[in-house]
Amino acid sequence: MSDQQLAHVLERAAQLDADDHLAVYRELFVGVDAAAEGGAAASADVVVSYLDGNSLGRPLKTVGPLLAAFVEGAWGGRLIRGWDEQWMRLPTLIADELAAACLGAASGQTLIGDSTTVLLYKMLRACAAARPDRTEIVVDTDNFPTDRYLVEGIAAERGLTVRWITTAPDSGLTTDQLAAAVGPQTAVVLVSHVAYRSGYLTDLAELTSIAHEAGALVVWDLCHSVGSVPLELDAANVDVAVGCTYKYLNGGPGSPAFVYVRRDLQGELRQPVQGWFGHADPFAMGPGYEPAAGMARFQSGTPPVIGMLAMREMIALIGQAGIHSVRAKSVALTEFTIELTDELLTPLGVVITSPQDAGRRGSHVTLDHPEFRRVVAELWQQGVLPDFRAPFGLRVGLSPLSTSFTELATGLLAVRAALQSPAG
Ligand SMILES: *Cc1c(COP(=O)(O)O)cnc(C)c1O
């Protein structure tokens, strides 16, 4: 490939940015001004290309002032009065904003709190307990580690059997596979909507109905879809869904997770971490646990108020842009990733291990090459930040409102240059 052809890649990217009606949103994020657009100024301090927004989204510029104002005003000024005045309501208030902007869910069915791992544990336990005569939990072998480990632990605690579905690492759980695995013995199924490794986008409505036909409950893990793929949880008759808020919802490192429980199921489910915040009357401080009505029963302890503030800004932004427009940009970015990979990287031995069909793909593309461990370490030194997933995977994460086509092209050109430079 000639220098001219390489330069043409950046011109094409610039044209896609010029035609992108969501491009204006990028300016609202911290750090994008520092990025040397289209340049390759190598410095570990300057992020030239951020391709890991699917692991940790960039902060919005409004978040710094917002947090400072919270410390001065709400926390420092209102002190303990803040709980009654507002903070007690935030876990359901912000969750309902999320439900409207991203989940396709009516209000009163979503709650923010805990981490994804803790919420998955609580909900899997609650679902298993709601099917006491059934003996199996179904999960796939390529699900996210925390999901698999939790299932193993809960099976051991409850004397259940894990039914593993072996999924191909370059795709994900199919409807046929699930149909073959569920039956009268299935208590609960745990599925990731978008596979963290391959980016495979499962058919949420179809898988849900297959599990329901077998009388099982389904817990959906939405970590890699919420904020980038439109969801219709109510329409799909989803039972329970859990997701994190620091990936495409830009809530910041360790921001709390969310849980959705379909309204008619809420009274039936009892979660195992029965702390005072899930009690019907927490401030009565009475003897004996009695679960609250509605989503409050899925709380355990004091809600993480500061952790909820940043995501609220991003939820509002997604609402403004519209989740379907966000998805359209995400598809355009993953399509461009595949197009450029075919041109720039396939000739160097790189293999695409994400679905080719955009309809079956989330918002990242995974590439494989035996040298990617070295390549990613070198790229990080240059301010080009994809992530590495052992053994050979380089994940290109596209966060639709903050990633530009130029940033993406710059990153993939850097991957090509690093692959061409000898090891060592
Ligand atoms: C990121 C991610 C998690 C993270 O769980 P934490 O409790 O936030 O560490 C869980 N499941 C999936 C599928 C993920 O992608």
Side-chain angles (χ1 to χ4, degrees), residues 54-55 114-120 143-147 192-196 221-224 242-247 254-255 257 389 395:
N54 60 330
S55 285
D114 302 317
S115 66
T116 305
T117 299
V118 170
L119 277 180
L120 282 172
N143 209 330
F144 192 79
T146 215
D147 300 59
S192 283
H193 187 209
V194 170
Y196 81 103
D221 183 331
L222 305 179
C223 283
H224 275 285
V242 172
C244 74
T245 63
Y246 50 81
K247 291 172 179 164
S255 61
R389 284 288 174 269
R395 273 194 327 187

Side-chain angles (χ1 to χ4, degrees), residues 74-132:
W75 178 8
R78 302 314 298 160
L79 292 168
I80 195 69
R81 297 170 292 181
W83 283 111
D84 283 340
E85 289 169 1
Q86 193 187 30
W87 304 333
M88 293 288 281
R89 289 191 296 279
L90 286 184
T92 48
L93 188 71
I94 299 177
D96 282 343
E97 293 168 2
L98 171 66
C102 301
L103 302 181
S107 64
Q109 304 174 101
T110 312
L111 172 79
I112 292 172
D114 302 317
S115 66
T116 305
T117 299
V118 170
L119 277 180
L120 282 172
Y121 174 80
K122 286 159 66 165
M123 301 321 298
L124 285 166
R125 276 282 306 259
C127 289
R131 293 287 182 274

Side-chain angles (χ1 to χ4, degrees), residues 79-352:
L79 292 168
I80 195 69
R81 297 170 292 181
W83 283 111
D84 283 340
E85 289 169 1
Q86 193 187 30
W87 304 333
M88 293 288 281
R89 289 191 296 279
L90 286 184
T92 48
L93 188 71
I94 299 177
D96 282 343
E97 293 168 2
L98 171 66
C102 301
L103 302 181
S107 64
Q109 304 174 101
T110 312
L111 172 79
I112 292 172
D114 302 317
S115 66
T116 305
T117 299
V118 170
L119 277 180
L120 282 172
Y121 174 80
K122 286 159 66 165
M123 301 321 298
L124 285 166
R125 276 282 306 259
C127 289
R131 293 287 182 274
D133 301 334
R134 293 171 172 240
T135 56
E136 289 187 0
I137 309 182
V138 174
V139 66
D140 71 278
T141 51
D142 208 43
N143 209 330
F144 192 79
T146 215
D147 300 59
R148 291 183 277 111
Y149 304 157
L150 286 169
V151 166
E152 286 177 346
I154 290 168
E157 276 172 5
R158 307 277 307 173
L160 301 170
T161 302
V162 183
R163 179 178 286 242
W164 294 100
I165 299 176
T166 305
T167 40
D170 59 353
S171 64
L173 184 62
T174 63
T175 49
D176 288 348
Q177 284 178 311
L178 186 66
V182 293
Q185 74 288 352
T186 314
V188 53
V189 179
L190 173 60
V191 197
S192 283
H193 187 209
V194 170
Y196 81 103
R197 201 194 297 267
S198 68
Y200 182 84
L201 173 63
T202 59
D203 189 335
L204 180 136
E206 187 66 23
L207 292 182
T208 299
S209 88
I210 288 170
H212 285 175
E213 275 163 36
L217 292 165
V218 190
V219 175
W220 281 97
D221 183 331
L222 305 179
C223 283
H224 275 285
S225 55
V226 66
S228 66
V229 178
L231 288 151
E232 294 293 343
L233 299 186
D234 284 351
N237 203 23
V238 163
D239 303 309
V240 174
V242 172
C244 74
T245 63
Y246 50 81
K247 291 172 179 164
Y248 297 110
L249 296 178
N250 305 54
S255 61
F258 67 89
V259 56
Y260 162 96
V261 183
R262 199 182 61 235
R263 194 181 307 278
D264 66 282
L265 201 58
Q266 291 168 14
E268 199 185 319
L269 296 185
R270 276 191 78 137
Q271 57 106 346
V273 188
Q274 34 180 69
W276 69 313
F277 263 73
H279 193 279
D281 189 2
F283 295 98
M285 314 242 167
Y289 178 78
E290 196 194 315
M295 289 306 291
R297 67 169 49 205
F298 301 108
Q299 296 193 106
S300 293
T302 304
V305 172
I306 293 180
M308 290 178 204
L309 301 178
M311 72 175 77
R312 196 175 192 186
E313 300 291 289
M314 186 63 180
I315 290 165
L317 206 65
I318 293 172
Q320 193 187 321
I323 188 69
H324 291 279
S325 298
V326 169
R327 169 68 176 162
K329 168 108 185 252
S330 160
V331 168
L333 285 163
T334 56
E335 292 280 87
F336 194 48
T337 305
I338 289 178
E339 187 184 319
L340 291 186
T341 299
D342 286 341
E343 280 174 44
L344 302 172
L345 305 177
T346 305
L348 304 179
V350 170
V351 175
I352 297 171

